[in-house]
Amino acid sequence: MKLYLYHTPEETPSDSLPDCAVVIDVLRATTTIATALNAGAEAVQAFSDIDTLMAKSAAWVAEKRLRAGERGGKTVEGFDLGNSPLNCTSEVVTDKRLFLTTTNGTRALQRVEKAPVVITAAQINRQAAVNYLLAKKPETVWIVGSGWQGTYSIEDTACGGAIVDSIVQQDNISLSEITGNDEVVGAFSLYKQWENNLLVMFEHSSHGKRLLGLNCQDDLKYCAETDIMDILPIQKEPGVLVKL
């Protein structure tokens, strides 16, 4: 198993796909996806484009759908939910499909949707992703951060490093044996620097500051928690994620 880490979907190779892609958007799409499925959502269907989401969701039974959207950290006007994982309670999402569009995470999912296996990870379900990778041992793994509008996001890279760290520890393997590109080593080092202070790191990040400006402190605290749920979102069909 060789791991390759890309800070943004734009950095991924354009002429190939991995055996397994791990999409990360800690603040907040992949945290929200895991939380919604853990709370009983039927599925989460991701869209990069709002108009496409509206068209697809219009064909769904109204009582069984939730439109969840965010642009610039703010809820899309007219949608049922924004992108806060804290709103994805069982009372709200059970047996419903979330039609989700976000500034960054849904673009990352779209980039790798044709890979044989696509899973999503965040700090809250990091170990579930690691357990899957260790059980399946795909030959090539892309860990893809979502970034912010094509630029680097420290929290996504750190989560990638958290995955690498757990694999190294559990599989009794050296970092060099699983490293496919230099970014893997950088992500591992970044996570080790901040692993006991993830919330502080999030507060330093550009998107963390943006969310703090929107009074989303509780979201940051939740997104900074590690391994609090044993759930793995996996792509069932392009753009549609279900609980494994």
Side-chain angles (χ1 to χ4, degrees):
M1 185 166 64
K2 284 287 184 183
L3 308 181
Y4 298 81
L5 188 139
Y6 301 99
H7 301 302
T8 68
E10 290 79 9
E11 291 184 1
T12 59
S14 60
D15 59 350
S16 63
L17 285 167
D19 297 304
C20 177
V22 184
V23 174
I24 298 173
D25 185 5
V26 175
L27 299 176
R28 294 166 288 173
T30 58
T31 303
T32 296
I33 290 167
T35 302
L37 292 175
N38 190 62
E42 175 263 334
V44 178
Q45 189 164 352
F47 299 85
S48 59
D49 178 72
I50 293 175
D51 291 338
T52 305
L53 181 153
M54 293 299 292
K56 292 285 187 181
S57 61
W60 208 258
V61 178
E63 292 77 16
K64 291 293 185 179
R65 74 173 182 228
L66 289 167
R67 291 169 175 147
E70 164 270 321
R71 286 295 182 270
K74 299 178 181 180
T75 301
V76 174
E77 186 176 353
F79 275 40
D80 303 298
L81 300 171
N83 189 28
S84 173
L86 300 181
N87 291 331
C88 294
T89 63
S90 58
E91 292 80 10
V92 173
V93 305
T94 295
D95 295 331
K96 295 181 180 179
R97 176 168 295 204
L98 262 71
F99 292 85
L100 176 69
T101 182
T102 71
T103 305
N104 305 293
T106 47
R107 288 188 306 108
L109 282 163
Q110 189 174 57
R111 165 64 191 94
V112 296
E113 66 181 8
K114 294 181 180 178
V117 178
V118 178
I119 62 175
T120 67
Q123 283 298 137
I124 63 169
N125 71 324
R126 182 272 308 255
Q127 195 56 49
V130 169
N131 291 344
Y132 179 86
L133 293 174
L134 290 176
K136 300 297 185 180
K137 292 287 181 68
E139 187 173 341
T140 58
V141 178
W142 287 4
I143 300 172
V144 184
S146 297
W148 176 261
Q149 296 183 344
T151 62
Y152 174 86
S153 286
I154 193 171
E155 67 277 0
D156 292 345
T157 296
C159 183
I163 291 171
V164 174
D165 179 53
S166 185
I167 289 173
V168 168
Q169 291 192 42
Q170 285 188 247
D171 209 25
N172 194 28
I173 192 171
S174 71
L175 181 60
S176 63
E177 287 180 84
I178 60 170
T179 294
N181 62 359
D182 285 355
E183 287 87 340
V184 170
V185 179
F188 173 83
S189 301
L190 175 66
Y191 173 69
K192 297 305 285 185
Q193 174 70 26
W194 290 98
E195 62 180 317
N196 297 315
N197 295 286
L198 288 175
L199 178 57
V200 174
M201 187 192 76
F202 288 6
E203 291 170 343
H204 286 319
S205 71
S206 60
H207 194 36
K209 291 176 181 177
R210 193 176 294 110
L211 291 173
L212 288 174
L214 296 170
N215 298 314
C216 294
Q217 175 72 26
D218 289 342
D219 276 24
L220 284 191
K221 290 179 180 178
Y222 178 76
C223 293
E225 295 189 55
T226 300
D227 300 340
I228 61 171
M229 59 180 61
D230 182 25
I231 183 166
L232 186 68
I234 189 166
Q235 182 174 259
K236 179 177 73 170
E237 58 187 81
V240 178
L241 296 147
V242 298
K243 178 181 177 179
L244 181 64

